[in-house]
Amino acid sequence: MSATPETVHTAVLPRQRRDLAGFDFVSVDVETWNNRTGSVCAIGLAVVRGGQIVDEYEALCHPASEFGEADYRHMAINRLQLGDIYHALSFEDVLSTVSAFVGDLPVVAHNAPADAAHLARACEVAGIDAPAWEWHCTEAIARKALDLTSWALPDIAAALQLPRFSLHQSGAEARATASVLLGLAKQTGAVRLGHLPR
């Protein structure tokens, strides 16, 4: 008499959701022309609706005289031309346009405390109110979600198998930050920005 094979019951696990339709945010990157907090000379952003980048904006702006002269080595690293910045819009004008793009959406940045500090200080010197944005940080999220030895934006992007991008260019870094945030959402199965680890 042959033995009756045992019935194996396999638990049905819920599929990890990869739907990013719940992600609406604006990623922001700020570049400066020297090492002083607030010396903002470029702002880039990428607008994400339903998990897709739907709009982008990038502009140079001239820092206020209170922030001193440009650091040429700093400018070279950031691939910025001094002449272009001298003829650029004021910080106030650029921030006004950026704020119109952001509206009431949450804002995402890599090392968000640094970008927020630059904008707050630039606003203080300009005599205007800093935007009351809801900030989220891709570096902080990645530290909770990934096991890496470096938390630089290019290294996180590489770990998520995202395309390479131009460093120190505000538009490219804002776009990369948006892609990293969406990549972290896929990695963790989060379906809302608030579901990501912080």
Side-chain angles (χ1 to χ4, degrees), residues 28 48 65 75 81 86 92 97 108 115 120 128-129 140 147 159 163 178 196:
V28 172
V48 174
S65 60
M75 296 276 288
Q81 299 295 320
Y86 274 128
E92 297 95 310
T97 301
V108 174
D115 281 13
I128 60 177
D129 292 334
D147 182 16
L196 285 162

Side-chain angles (χ1 to χ4, degrees), residues 31 36 74 87 99 101 125 180 186:
E31 300 294 336
R36 296 182 66 177
H74 192 85
H87 293 94
S99 295
F101 274 99
V125 169
V180 161
K186 289 181 179 178

